[in-house]
Amino acid sequence: MNTELETILDLCIDRLREGQTPEECLQAFPDHAEALRPLLETAAVLKDLPREEPSDDMISAALLDVGRRSREPEQTQTKAKGFLPPVFHSPYLKAALNTLLIVILLFWGLSTVSADSIPGDVFYPVKRFTEQVRFALTLGPEGKAELKLTFSEQRLRELSAYYRETGQVDTSLIRTMLKEAQLALDKYAQSEQGPSYLVTRAQQVNTTQQEYLQQIQPHVNPGAQQTIDRAIRTCAQRRERMQQMMNGMMQQQGPMHRRMMNGRMRRMMQDRQ
Amino acid sequence: MERAAENIDPEEMESLVEGARSGDQHVLSRLIRLLYPRVYRYVYYRVDNRQDVEDITNDVFARMLDALEHQHGSFWAWLYSIASNRITDFYRKSAVRSQVTEVGDTIEYFRDGANPLDSMFLREELRKAIRQLTEEQQEVILLRFIEGYQATEVAELLSKTPEAVRALQFRALKQLRKMMPVE
């Protein structure tokens, strides 16, 4: 009995979707009308529910976030040590470690507080300063190139947040964003055997930036138009150049190379965590 | 403006997935733009806080990127299973499922087609009601009514028989009806 009702209900739902009303559907099944009516009325409400659509801005921001998250290794849990070896019992060493811990916590706290700041916020200079410190502490051209790409992504997030908040485009952010990406490529060129994932990531960042700029371009004031036009052209040129670099690498290394480099990238990120 | 994902034909979808798998960043970006609204809606009706909805949706795509090379079979079924797992993880970690608020007390529906409720309010109330269904019922209701799949397609996406999907649909509507009575 229930199976029959379930099938009829499903048929009626299909009819609702074709434009019939619950009453029209029920006329075809008078024996079951009483049992089905309340369910069909609920189904009609569900069917007509307005669709929730994420905004283009939200999707652009998500693209950046997705790229960043996909490179993060799954969180691993580490067991806390139950005791410290005797060498750590020295009061001088303890004081030094405590001081170091406070400095690290202070630095971490300021980085966290300033992470979402945009130009004009109190903490924005702190954010840029912590970036400089991170850059100075990072060793090797590969690591520095990767960091510059992260900063370039960060500038795009700020550009987007600033635009959402004020309706204005901060053209200096566009210039800095492109400059950071260029510096990343320069650092990449310095590495002896640059990994292909850096070019892949640079391509990803460049594509996202170009798409975002194209998206806001028709809506910005004429003063910012020129800067955006120039920036879009720069992104397009870079895209072609990077594609050529990738093609060259793929021809030299073959398909296994990319997988190997992806694995290497993950290991490198894990080491740095 | 990009087209909605449901309007892409399966072959084009397959070629986009293939392009993304081969590392073409432009195709990947286009693919995510196309898929994002549907996954977002799927999460939206199952999770209360908008920030959490965005967070989980982004996470779904990050996992998709990580595992794209190994994906096989139906792409949509695979993507929905990632979304479903992330939502389950979210509730397991935050244990907020029990905090879902009471619904239905203030809702009235009218039979003659005129619905006096503001659509935003209605949507919010329905979200709350849907979140009180079982996980399987939620999946069926969202895929069937919000995304507009046929029962047989829902069955394919969830690896169930069409009969099981119809039974879940029946019970879910009964449950929703109890929570949101029609005047």
Side-chain angles (χ1 to χ4, degrees):
Chain A
M1 175 65 185
N2 245 10
T3 313
E4 190 190 349
L5 255 187
E6 287 159 11
T7 308
I8 295 172
L9 175 67
D10 195 51
L11 278 174
C12 288
I13 290 169
D14 284 339
R15 289 183 180 202
L16 280 184
R17 286 175 49 185
E18 285 161 14
Q20 286 191 7
T21 63
E23 284 308 318
E24 285 167 343
C25 300
L26 292 172
Q27 278 169 16
F29 306 100
D31 295 346
H32 301 289
E34 203 181 326
L36 289 177
R37 182 171 287 110
L39 303 182
L40 273 185
E41 282 168 350
T42 308
V45 174
L46 278 171
K47 180 187 74 70
D48 294 333
L49 205 59
R51 287 181 128 206
E52 178 70 16
E53 297 288 345
S55 67
D56 282 351
D57 258 4
M58 191 192 288
I59 299 178
S60 294
L63 276 171
L64 284 175
D65 194 34
V66 166
R68 182 181 58 77
R69 286 178 195 223
S70 78
R71 293 186 298 273
E72 281 175 356
E74 289 281 351
Q75 281 186 348
T76 50
Q77 291 187 341
T78 49
K79 285 184 182 173
K81 300 264 184 208
F83 57 89
L84 291 170
V87 67
F88 286 98
H89 294 172
S90 151
Y92 298 111
L93 191 58
K94 272 185 185 170
L97 285 174
N98 283 341
T99 310
L100 184 66
L101 188 66
I102 288 167
V103 170
I104 290 170
L105 282 176
L106 199 62
F107 185 75
W108 176 79
L110 284 173
S111 308
T112 309
V113 167
S114 63
D116 293 329
S117 61
I118 56 174
D121 289 350
V122 180
F123 284 109
Y124 189 68
V126 178
K127 179 183 186 177
R128 297 299 293 272
F129 174 71
T130 53
E131 284 182 1
Q132 285 172 22
V133 173
R134 279 179 70 192
F135 187 73
L137 293 176
T138 303
L139 300 174
E142 287 174 15
K144 283 185 185 289
E146 181 133 21
L147 207 51
K148 282 289 175 195
L149 280 178
T150 305
F151 296 158
S152 184
E153 282 179 318
Q154 193 56 43
R155 298 295 86 80
L156 179 61
R157 272 191 216 105
E158 290 161 7
L159 185 70
S160 163
Y162 190 81
Y163 181 65
R164 275 204 307 272
E165 269 185 29
T166 65
Q168 301 292 318
V169 173
D170 185 338
T171 50
S172 69
L173 273 178
I174 297 179
R175 282 191 285 272
T176 319
M177 172 181 91
L178 295 178
K179 194 175 156 199
E180 299 279 28
Q182 182 57 49
L183 287 171
L185 290 175
D186 292 347
K187 283 286 168 198
Y188 167 78
Q190 286 173 14
S191 61
E192 282 179 13
Q193 194 183 4
S196 58
Y197 76 81
L198 273 177
V199 183
T200 310
R201 187 173 167 212
Q203 274 183 314
Q204 188 188 12
V205 172
N206 188 63
T207 304
T208 314
Q209 290 173 343
Q210 187 181 354
E211 283 177 359
Y212 180 75
L213 292 171
Q214 282 167 338
Q215 194 186 314
I216 60 168
Q217 191 219 33
H219 312 291
V220 301
N221 62 51
Q225 287 271 1
Q226 213 180 349
T227 309
I228 292 188
D229 285 345
R230 230 179 7 243
I232 291 172
R233 280 200 300 277
T234 305
C235 286
Q237 285 161 0
R238 281 185 191 170
R239 197 174 141 203
E240 273 181 32
R241 213 164 56 233
M242 286 188 281
Q243 194 54 52
Q244 284 166 1
M245 285 164 81
M246 279 305 282
N247 291 344
M249 279 180 201
M250 290 298 179
Q251 277 169 6
Q252 280 177 8
Q253 311 282 3
M256 285 302 289
H257 182 69
R258 197 171 68 82
R259 287 199 186 91
M260 191 181 82
M261 282 308 169
N262 281 341
R264 189 175 156 190
M265 173 184 73
R266 281 174 208 285
R267 283 196 299 280
M268 192 169 140
M269 294 301 287
Q270 279 162 350
D271 291 347
R272 204 169 291 157
Q273 288 275 313
Chain B
M1 194 67 182
E2 297 278 5
R3 284 173 298 162
E6 44 271 39
N7 296 335
I8 310 174
D9 76 77
E11 276 179 27
E12 190 183 350
M13 179 81 183
E14 203 174 302
S15 99
L16 281 175
V17 172
E18 204 45 57
R21 205 178 274 144
S22 69
D24 185 328
Q25 295 302 311
H26 194 63
V27 173
L28 182 61
S29 155
R30 185 155 174 260
L31 182 70
I32 293 178
R33 277 183 186 282
L34 286 168
L35 304 178
Y36 197 88
R38 203 189 273 201
V39 175
Y40 178 85
R41 276 195 299 273
Y42 182 79
V43 181
Y44 173 82
Y45 282 97
R46 296 184 62 185
V47 175
D48 185 28
N49 181 294
R50 269 178 191 270
Q51 189 53 50
D52 290 332
V53 174
E54 278 181 44
D55 206 39
I56 293 170
T57 309
N58 293 358
D59 211 28
V60 170
F61 284 102
R63 301 298 150 230
M64 179 195 93
L65 284 189
D66 287 343
L68 200 56
E69 275 188 60
H70 311 291
Q71 186 270 332
H72 53 85
S74 161
F75 183 78
W76 278 115
W78 179 71
L79 193 61
Y80 279 127
S81 74
I82 296 178
S84 186
N85 289 338
R86 300 318 290 181
I87 294 168
T88 307
D89 284 352
F90 166 77
Y91 279 117
R92 196 179 295 138
K93 281 177 189 161
S94 57
V96 294
R97 197 182 171 110
S98 58
Q99 294 172 14
V100 174
T101 42
E102 287 296 313
V103 291
D105 295 347
T106 56
I107 292 189
E108 294 172 350
Y109 293 112
F110 295 83
R111 279 184 191 160
D112 300 333
N115 188 343
L117 296 173
D118 172 71
S119 63
M120 292 274 284
F121 176 66
L122 170 62
R123 187 163 49 189
E124 284 309 307
E125 290 300 310
L126 263 169
R127 274 176 81 197
K128 289 177 194 166
I130 289 171
R131 286 201 302 277
Q132 295 197 42
L133 301 174
T134 67
E135 274 186 36
E136 285 182 319
Q137 288 172 348
Q138 286 180 25
E139 284 174 337
V140 168
I141 290 295
L142 295 180
L143 294 174
R144 185 87 168 101
F145 291 97
I146 310 295
E147 296 309 330
Y149 285 107
Q150 298 284 331
T152 46
E153 293 170 323
V154 176
E156 216 170 287
L157 288 170
L158 300 180
S159 306
K160 292 186 187 302
T161 62
E163 291 74 27
V165 167
R166 287 187 195 110
L168 282 164
Q169 174 178 261
F170 186 86
R171 286 198 294 273
L173 286 173
K174 242 175 139 175
Q175 194 64 26
L176 284 173
R177 172 70 184 196
K178 269 190 215 160
M179 288 187 267
M180 302 166 57
V182 176
E183 282 262 303

